[in-house]
Amino acid sequence: MLTDPGAVPKGNATKEFIESLQLKPGQVVYKCPKCCSIKPDRAHHCSVCKRCIRKMDHHCPWVNNCVGENNQKYFVLFTMYIALISLHALIMVGFHFLHCFEEDWTKCSSFSPPTTVILLILLCFEGLLFLIFTSVMFGTQVHSICTDETGIERLKRKHQPRERRASWKSVKETFGGDFSPNWFNPFSRPCDPEPLSDRDWVRQVASLSDMGNTETTEEQSEERKDEDSVEVIDE
């Protein structure tokens, strides 16, 4: 909740900053009209946080923060440990029920038998509910990391060609280096992200003419209208 998910600085889409990037022909800069920020590749605007997040997967109300480039490891561990705790609770409920079934119900609990049964049923329902939900979230996050595709990118179905990293490389970058016990330590930070360089703000297109042709399509025109404005250097 307290970790910066990879927020892009607000209000940096100024004319002076764009000029300092020294754009070349074939290079474009995307600006977010909602927070007036330059959007790097794979950054998306969060309507709740009111800022653009690098590699944003989704906004999680549980942690009151976005899940993005810098804190995805913590969210994966969060869902994994809740799923394990829920599974542990279900196992303990099962053992307690068997113990009470074999013994006298009045001796296995300080509550009356009907109250004990109701509490066991409620705990079983709660544990099963959280186990299913967090297991699905955990599996979705692991799949996103291995395929190098965020939830936002999957929902929007952007068929833009881009180079994807290998699964193991993506996992190591998310959890902070080569495999070690620190992968499972929620108090161990992943690798500190490098500050964005000038080239990270710029996106390359094949040619200006190709860009002009592709932007005339209805789908991309609506996307530009709703999300981004484009700065193109033309010489």
Side-chain angles (χ1 to χ4, degrees):
M1 180 172 61
L2 302 177
T3 303
D4 178 13
V8 178
K10 284 186 176 182
N12 66 345
T14 61
K15 182 178 180 181
E16 293 76 14
F17 184 74
I18 294 176
E19 290 178 350
S20 69
L21 298 177
Q22 298 180 351
L23 301 179
K24 300 177 181 179
Q27 292 182 332
V28 296
V29 170
Y30 289 86
K31 296 192 301 183
C32 177
K34 299 175 183 177
C35 61
C36 196
S37 301
I38 295 180
K39 295 181 67 173
D41 190 24
R42 305 185 68 185
H44 302 279
H45 183 85
C46 175
S47 59
V48 180
C49 297
K50 300 186 185 307
R51 57 185 180 174
C52 289
I53 308 296
R54 300 195 303 272
K55 287 184 63 178
M56 175 182 170
D57 187 87
H58 68 286
H59 183 90
C60 179
W62 284 19
V63 297
N64 192 33
N65 200 359
C66 284
V67 178
E69 185 177 57
N70 296 348
N71 65 347
Q72 192 171 24
K73 169 191 173 179
Y74 301 129
F75 187 75
V76 171
L77 295 181
F78 175 62
T79 55
M80 182 184 74
Y81 285 129
I82 290 181
L84 292 177
I85 291 173
S86 301
L87 179 62
H88 176 263
L90 288 174
I91 293 175
M92 295 301 294
V93 166
F95 277 116
H96 191 76
F97 181 81
L98 291 177
H99 173 69
C100 291
F101 186 78
E102 294 176 354
E103 302 290 338
D104 187 0
W105 282 82
T106 58
K107 297 180 180 180
C108 70
S109 175
S110 57
F111 299 99
S112 62
T115 304
T116 301
V117 173
I118 293 175
L119 291 176
L120 288 176
I121 293 175
L122 290 177
L123 182 58
C124 183
F125 175 77
E126 182 183 8
L128 185 61
L129 178 65
F130 276 92
L131 174 62
I132 294 175
F133 182 73
T134 53
S135 297
V136 171
M137 290 297 298
F138 174 75
T140 302
Q141 290 298 305
V142 172
H143 179 266
S144 296
I145 295 173
C146 292
T147 58
D148 192 25
E149 184 181 43
T150 66
I152 296 291
E153 292 169 345
R154 187 165 56 251
L155 288 174
K156 289 191 173 184
R157 300 186 180 276
K158 290 185 177 180
H159 299 290
Q160 298 176 354
R162 65 177 179 85
E163 183 179 355
R164 298 193 180 188
R165 294 169 296 182
S167 297
W168 186 242
K169 182 179 180 181
S170 180
V171 172
K172 290 196 297 183
E173 288 186 2
T174 301
F175 287 89
D178 295 329
F179 179 79
S180 70
N182 282 332
W183 277 23
F184 305 97
N185 182 7
F187 300 101
S188 173
R189 290 181 56 86
C191 294
D192 291 330
E194 298 180 359
L196 292 175
S197 60
D198 289 349
R199 63 180 178 83
D200 294 321
W201 301 108
V202 178
R203 306 191 199 184
Q204 186 72 35
V205 294
S207 66
L208 293 178
S209 59
D210 291 342
M211 180 183 174
N213 291 334
T214 56
E215 284 190 345
T216 57
T217 64
E218 181 179 354
E219 180 180 355
Q220 291 186 340
S221 295
E222 287 298 325
E223 183 178 352
R224 297 289 180 267
K225 180 179 178 182
D226 294 338
E227 293 186 357
D228 308 327
S229 56
V230 185
E231 288 288 334
V232 186
I233 188 70
D234 192 3
E235 297 180 354

